[in-house]
């Protein structure tokens, strides 16, 4: 599922490096190199491959050094919740998902709503949502939206790392000059990736519920059609 570490994360890191080079003016110098500069083409290619290898290694290390739980805490600033922590409460309060009927949800999860405690409600909801998720974790639709959620989360973390490295190089090592344009780009990327992660998190939670409700409804319809007894969720 996390094949994006070999693709999207690396391209994202390289793209940001090019942005930093562009605003620093170094990218323009590289692009204007010609034969008169007597630059060894083999050397340039070798250095490019070397830089790509370093970036690839750092992407893997930075993505692996933090656990998923720590990433989640950082991305949600320590106050966020797991995808299923409020799913049943939100569905009960608001019927705005076109993939399932509100009445079907209330019937399908009647026991969950009846037994919902006042304390530790979020843990209770997440535990029951996770049980449902485990039934559909191999479904392509679920895997796709879960991958998108994890990708957006890791892109946010990667952007945060890039910001930290950028400031360390400038203020700690004295390498380069602070470019407000580059800083603005990084801040925008932080906001966009964080918003995207939150939206994909909601989509992930609702996709699991949508699949489960529709399957239960199909089973109940089949039981009713064939007049079978004892058919239940």
């Amino acid at each position: 599922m996390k094949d994006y570490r070999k693709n999207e994360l690396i391209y994202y890191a390289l793209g940001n490096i090019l942005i930093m080079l562009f605003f620093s003016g170094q990218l323009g110098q590289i692009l204007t190199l010609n034969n008169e500069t007597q630059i060894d083409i083999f050397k340039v290619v070798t250095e490019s491959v070397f830089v790509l290898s370093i970036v690839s290694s750092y992407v893997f290390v930075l993505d692996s050094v933090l656990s998923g739980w720590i990433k989640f805490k950082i991305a949600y600033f320590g106050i966020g919740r797991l995808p299923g922590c409020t799913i049943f409460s939100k569905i009960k309060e608001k019927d705005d998902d076109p993939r399932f009927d509100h009445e079907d949800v209330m019937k399908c999860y009647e026991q969950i709503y009846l037994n919902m405690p006042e304390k530790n409600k979020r843990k209770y909801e997440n535990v029951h949502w996770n049980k449902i998720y485990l039934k559909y974790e191999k479904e392509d639709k679920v895997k796709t939206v879960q991958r998108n959620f994890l990708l957006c989360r890791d892109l946010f973390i990667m952007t945060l790392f890039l910001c930290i490295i950028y400031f360390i190089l400038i203020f700690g090592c004295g390498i380069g000059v602070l470019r407000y344009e580059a800083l603005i780009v990084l801040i925008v990327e932080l906001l966009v990736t964080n918003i995207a992660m939150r939206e994909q998190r909601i989509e992930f939670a609702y996709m699991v519920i949508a699949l489960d409700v529709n399957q239960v409804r199909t089973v109940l319809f089949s039981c009713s059609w064939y007049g079978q007894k004892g058919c239940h969720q």
Side-chain angles (χ1 to χ4, degrees), residues 98-215:
R99 289 170 294 187
F100 51 79
D101 185 74
H102 188 263
E103 184 178 349
D104 289 336
V105 173
M106 300 308 295
K107 288 181 180 179
C108 184
Y109 306 122
E110 181 179 4
Q111 291 302 315
I112 292 178
Y113 285 112
L114 287 175
N115 297 321
M116 188 174 294
E118 290 297 327
K119 295 182 179 180
N120 296 323
K121 182 186 294 186
R122 288 174 175 172
K123 180 179 180 181
Y124 173 86
E125 292 191 46
N126 190 69
V127 167
H128 283 278
W129 177 85
N130 193 60
K131 290 179 180 178
I132 299 170
Y133 157 72
L134 291 176
K135 296 193 299 182
Y136 304 98
E137 62 177 332
K138 295 183 179 180
E139 292 283 341
D140 289 339
K141 291 182 179 180
V142 173
K143 289 168 66 176
T144 297
V145 72
Q146 184 179 11
R147 181 186 184 278
N148 292 339
F149 164 63
L150 294 175
L151 171 60
C152 291
R153 182 201 63 186
D154 288 353
L155 286 177
F156 173 82
I157 297 297
M158 177 58 62
T159 307
L160 190 61
F161 275 130
L162 289 171
C163 287
I164 295 173
I165 293 172
Y166 184 56
F167 279 103
I168 290 175
L169 290 175
I170 293 175
F171 297 108
C173 303
I175 300 175
V177 180
L178 178 64
R179 299 289 178 176
Y180 290 103
E181 299 93 337
L183 186 59
I184 291 173
V185 169
L186 289 173
I187 292 174
V188 170
E189 288 180 348
L190 280 174
L191 292 174
V192 171
T193 52
N194 195 275
I195 293 172
M197 176 198 67
R198 293 170 184 269
E199 291 298 318
Q200 289 300 317
R201 168 192 172 227
I202 296 172
E203 176 65 17
F204 175 35
Y206 274 78
M207 177 62 74
V208 171
I209 297 297
L211 288 175
D212 190 53
V213 170
N214 283 288
Q215 177 167 309

Side-chain angles (χ1 to χ4, degrees), residues 2 8 12 32 36 82 88 99 155 160 166 175 186 212 232:
K2 296 194 69 175
E8 287 94 330
Y12 184 78
T32 54
E36 295 178 359
L82 292 170
F88 297 105
R99 289 170 294 187
L155 286 177
L160 190 61
Y166 184 56
I175 300 175
L186 289 173
D212 190 53
H232 56 277

